[in-house]
Amino acid sequence: PAATLMTPSIPSTLPAVLTESQAEQLLDVAEQAVATNQYKGDGGAAAASGSGSGKAVGKTADKSADTVNRNEAPARADKRDSARVVAESQRNAAILELLYATGIRVAELVSMDIVDVDFSNRTIKVTGKGNKQRVVPFGLPAQRALETWLEQGRPVLARTATDAAKSRATNALFLGARGGRIDQRIARDIVHRAARVPDISPHALRHSAATHMLDGGADLREVQEMLGHSSLKTTQRYTHVSIEQLKNRYGQAFPRA
């Protein structure tokens, strides 16, 4: 009976980690959401345009400008809502890609400004704990997601901001639905909804990025630099996870395991 008792979990030793395939699936969910919302947005806009033009052609002579404006207002509101939904899905995809690609903390993500992204070198400047700055590289999928967000999605959400929000979020990399700088709670919720399970958090993406880097042959010191750990001992947690995965693969592959 004693063998069935669970030992207390120790978060500082074995953090939650996604497999590489699970991480890909999570990011695919975000990409699919962008594609689906864009399709709905285009379809909705076309339908609204078609219905509005049909009414205008049939009764142009006996409609005042005020009546036309009242009829067109709901279509314009629907179009704005569709554009906002698409923009939010583009933002969510960029957030997920960047969190996994760089392993940054959610607090570091929400504090980033547009100027912190260097597309020419494909790096970001991160301000971590104790105001320490570091430079972290990111990959092509994250670059594409960021470019789409900055070119298409961000301007849409920026237009919804109040004057007070605009003044505080003029340079913010990621915006919330009301045009202000996104907060940590919303960023966490984005990850939870994409993963579809509550225990997968932005920190799980950070753990996963570190573990996958080590599995791919990265040096422990390199991962320490990427994560912004002041102590190598903190980074060594991820070697335990990698060893567990190695043991699993060993058991599957070695004939005398």
Side-chain angles (χ1 to χ4, degrees), residues 36-66:
T36 300
N37 289 327
Q38 282 179 328
Y39 176 78
K40 288 180 179 177
D42 291 343
S49 175
S51 61
S53 60
K55 290 179 182 177
V57 169
K59 300 181 180 180
T60 301
D62 59 353
K63 277 194 175 183
S64 67
D66 288 342

Side-chain angles (χ1 to χ4, degrees), residues 25-234:
Q25 287 172 7
L26 186 147
L27 298 174
D28 286 344
V29 166
E31 280 188 23
Q32 289 165 7
V34 172
T36 300
N37 289 327
Q38 282 179 328
Y39 176 78
K40 288 180 179 177
D42 291 343
S49 175
S51 61
S53 60
K55 290 179 182 177
V57 169
K59 300 181 180 180
T60 301
D62 59 353
K63 277 194 175 183
S64 67
D66 288 342
T67 305
V68 172
N69 288 339
R70 282 198 300 273
N71 287 339
E72 289 178 350
R76 288 199 298 270
D78 287 344
K79 192 172 182 179
R80 284 196 299 271
D81 288 343
S82 296
R84 180 182 56 77
V85 170
V86 172
E88 288 183 4
S89 65
Q90 291 168 336
R91 175 203 64 194
N92 297 352
I95 284 175
L96 289 164
E97 286 284 2
L98 195 62
L99 284 172
Y100 177 61
T102 62
I104 60 175
R105 303 175 180 93
V106 68
E108 296 168 343
L109 175 97
V110 301
S111 67
M112 286 182 62
D113 290 332
I114 297 173
V115 295
D116 293 329
V117 183
D118 184 348
F119 286 107
S120 62
N121 290 323
R122 213 183 288 163
T123 58
I124 56 172
K125 183 175 68 176
V126 183
T127 302
K129 293 180 178 180
N131 256 1
K132 293 180 180 178
Q133 291 189 334
R134 66 186 189 279
V135 175
V136 183
F138 58 86
L140 187 58
Q143 177 182 346
R144 289 170 178 160
L146 281 169
E147 287 175 339
T148 299
W149 156 244
L150 289 174
E151 293 169 7
Q152 301 176 25
R154 193 184 184 283
V156 173
L157 296 189
R159 285 196 292 269
T160 68
T162 62
D163 290 339
K166 278 181 182 177
S167 65
R168 293 193 301 269
T170 303
N171 302 315
L173 178 59
F174 292 110
L175 304 178
R178 297 181 181 179
R181 184 183 292 273
I182 197 170
D183 62 36
Q184 293 188 43
R185 180 182 61 81
I186 298 299
R188 290 192 182 94
D189 188 53
I190 288 167
V191 178
H192 292 324
R193 283 188 283 114
R196 297 174 183 172
V197 286
D199 57 341
I200 296 301
S201 66
H203 226 62
L205 291 180
R206 176 174 166 84
H207 298 326
S208 303
T211 303
H212 299 165
M213 284 279 291
L214 289 169
D215 286 345
D219 182 82
L220 197 60
R221 290 283 183 185
E222 295 168 343
V223 176
Q224 177 191 9
E225 177 66 23
M226 185 182 89
L227 298 181
H229 288 156
S230 56
S231 169
L232 190 63
K233 183 179 178 181
T234 308

Side-chain angles (χ1 to χ4, degrees), residues 9-27:
S9 59
I10 307 173
S12 62
T13 303
L14 293 174
V17 173
L18 299 172
T19 64
E20 291 183 26
S21 61
Q22 286 173 332
E24 283 188 19
Q25 287 172 7
L26 186 147
L27 298 174

